[in-house]
Amino acid sequence: MSEHVFGASVKPREDPALLRGERDYTADLVRPGMVHMELLRSEHGHARINAIDTTAALAMPGVLKIITGADLEGHMMPLPCIWVPGGVESHFPPHPYGLPGAGTALATDRVRFVGDPVAAIVAETKAQAAEAARAIRVDYEVLTAVVTPETALAEGAPQLHDAVPGNLNALWTCGDATGTDKAIADAPVRVELELHNRRTINSPLEPRGALGEYDARTGDYTLTATSQSPHNHRFLLANLVLGIPFTKLRIISPEIGGSFGTKGYLYPDMPLVLFLAKEVGRPVKWTDDRYGLMRSTVQGRDHRQYATIAGTPDGKITALRCTSYANLGAYPSTIGPGVATALMGRSITGTYDIAHAFCEVYATFTNTVPLGAQRGSGRAEATFLIERLVDRFAATVGMDPADVRRLNMIKPEQQPFDNKMGWLYDSGDYREVLEMALDKAGYADRESVKAAARERGKLLGYGIASFVAICGVGPSPRIAKEGMLGGSWESANVRVHPDGETTLTIGVTTTGQSHETTFGQIVADEFGVDLGTVQVLHSDTFRAPYGQGTYGSRSFSVGGPAVRLAARKVTDKMRAVTAHLLKVPVEDVIWEGGKAFVPGDEANAKTFADLSMAIWYGWDLPKGMEPAIDETSVFDPDDFNYPYGAHVAIVEVDEITGAVDLVRYIAVNDVGNVGNPLVVDGQIEGSIVHGVGQALMEVARYDETGALLTDNLHKYAIPRAYDVPFFELDRTETPTQHNPLGAKGAGEAATVPVAAAVTNAVCDALAGFGITHLDMPLTPETVWRAMTGAATTEGAQR
């Protein structure tokens, strides 16, 4: 094998079984005596529950049990929220332990969004449970709903939670308000922009699912579920929801089928299947469908922002101010408030050295599905804001948008750079990736390309977006200051067997990122052995060391270093044994190419397999050394890491129909040291497609009653292969100093600039109409109406 498998484009070894359909998802699982749960969900956005009649449903064939919110009182605590807006006063629904609450598993007095669960039905078959759910009669008193933060904050608006006055979860701020306001007032150039970063629906391949089991003999519970944070969910469910001993709950995550952030949350179905498994004495399974997912799984984005950027006529940006109204939905999701505040607000300055900046976020409850993470959450909204503003500022001062970026970008020699909003960027040359992207895009020749497009009846536009994204959530003390109620470290265990084969067990959970390959590469590289001899286990709280979970592009850049440190303990032990056997000081022994030896005496080298057996036998070890090889390491990074890049979108707009064709997309990214370029490129391509979806077609639409109008894939468009071109990718590699791998987050970073790049390109194509901004999604109708309106206005002025 290659001496250095770390950094090699190894094909994911998980893929063949996945492609053949040989891996089990939650929906595939069957247990002896298993029964099925169905949830009755509210059809009203806001209503008081007067009564629930389950009489007819209970008498139906196969029905075993039906419970409502009243049946859970005294048996199940509300779900908790573990990321509050840091450093400010905040208000939440109550929790018995004094923690921020996130609503009950089943609604009691009121329903607060369409999809709010009201009753849980257990029956012999899924069809029988669904039929019984339709037979339940709920007496609702429909109440006025609020679906936007502005209406929820208005005087006299209906209150969603008694403990949350004015529906305001928190008014969160960062930066220097006084200095920023003065800098804006003093600036000769000021540009204001109102943006609506619209709400979107996550669409992973597999909806959510949960299977609960209870052993009456031992009192043990097992939850098999689509969880990307099984260890954290184990603690939250056992200690803060069900009130059972931590050691009595096991959580297993089989294949998850994608997440994009949605499966890191506690949902009502998780404690419900466990509670009901005990009640009926049989395994209880629940699987969602696409319709249910769209009405209950956390949704993303949804900020209405009012921003001002200021500077000088020569293109220097001196100040930036943003007021954002974030829509948290009906309840705080497990980490939703932190996503909407810190991840967005501290990121608004992007890759630019802006002397004065300030951001305030009104985090607000409304009668919509709870808000949570979506690939690039917070960072994508902030980047859309700053990159649209930079383009508008450039147009106002009459400069090329690329030149304004060049002038204001943070320089490499300024790194590490304090962005004055709370992030300390670690490393990077932002100008370098910008120039690479512009060169690959042929930006210097854009006018001739535009002219050629006009001859074909197309309006062509170039859009630039630079970005830097906070990833690798940690260290624990730092994230605690942001309001996270928990740690952010990761752990790994390496166990070497007598024959030299290795079992690596990791705390992080895969949602499709090829962990069994990429984490195995770290061990194989450190040991100098074939990757095929390294087994990787994960996603089972009874066998994996504790891990915080897969989110925030942290798996490889936080979990990976834990693996490296554990593997390094093994090779250090092998060096010590070799020194003992050769009777030389341990500092004279080096480990290289799968062998321990003294330079100049390679003939007496000890191989990995030799040492594995020797340590297992334990016949001749240094005094005090224990036999066997079983090492665990925990890694808590010094700080976050900050991947960055520059993307260029090139679009053609049909002047007759308004249709937008993304003809080229160039992406130059820097995610630090790359463990597997093939895997990283796949994640980057997927991330770009995700961003294209938001830019061109995706939007969750609600009416004034809180009804979700886009609740299936006939009404909610997602990108297909023919919607995107073949991407033109490149990278630089600037290691972070905050972990021993030098790796930065990669799984979601490339989503961050996409919506801005595509929107900038469309606005560039439409510049001749005097169109300066359009809110996403840029559907043909949106673009056509903008062009038609601009043409009509121009004609009237003439």
Side-chain angles (χ1 to χ4, degrees), residues 426 469-472 553 557-558 639-643 736 738-739 743-745:
D426 49 8
I470 170 182
C471 291
S553 294
S557 62
V558 182
D639 204 340
F640 307 112
N641 60 71
Y642 296 88
T736 179
H738 294 153
N739 68 66
K744 300 181 180 183

Side-chain angles (χ1 to χ4, degrees), residues 214-221 248:
Y214 177 73
D215 189 333
R217 299 169 302 167
T218 63
D220 290 334
Y221 294 81
K248 290 296 181 181

Side-chain angles (χ1 to χ4, degrees), residues 718-730:
I718 58 175
R720 273 73 169 177
Y722 55 74
D723 292 312
V724 295
F726 285 99
F727 303 124
E728 302 169 55
L729 306 182
D730 206 342

